[in-house]
Amino acid sequence: MPEDTIFAKIVRGEIPADVVYRDEHVTAFRDIHPQAPVHVLIVPNRVIPSALDVTEEDEPVLGRLFTAARRVAEQEGLADGFRLIVNCRAHGGQEVDHLHLHLMGGEPLGPMRVRRR
Ligand code: AMP
């Protein structure tokens, strides 16, 4: 069932996470394998499996993901900037089928993607 994602369990408080922000639409918590000094995941409280599954009905919660990202960035002192990433399905390298923003920062992050050729 889609509501049984690991992130849904974090939203429901069933498994522990370092939650840095939550409201009625979204929850933000630190990535368990950080790839930057600050690496926070921001997820809708209600499961949307991927960026290919969003609908017009989701627009309020999708907007909230961005305002939550700005709040978390301010909390974490990322005034010099940061990167937001959404991985989608197999080619995007999505591991958890629960839409999420990766918010990464705390140092210059370099090129977005290392070209293979
Ligand atoms: P993605 O590849 O975009 O689906 O990213 C999934 C992310 O979830 C990875 O960066 C994982 O390190 C992270 N992750 C997986 N399980 C947990 C967890 N229990 N708590 C925090 N982050 C997690």
Side-chain angles (χ1 to χ4, degrees), residues 68-82:
R70 190 260 302 155
R71 278 171 178 266
V72 173
E74 287 174 356
Q75 276 176 210
E76 298 289 326
L78 302 181
D80 288 334
F82 52 89

Side-chain angles (χ1 to χ4, degrees), residues 14 28 33 41 45 61 68 73 101 104 107:
E14 293 169 8
H33 295 124
L41 302 175
N45 293 341
V61 71
L101 286 186
M104 287 184 273
E107 65 183 11

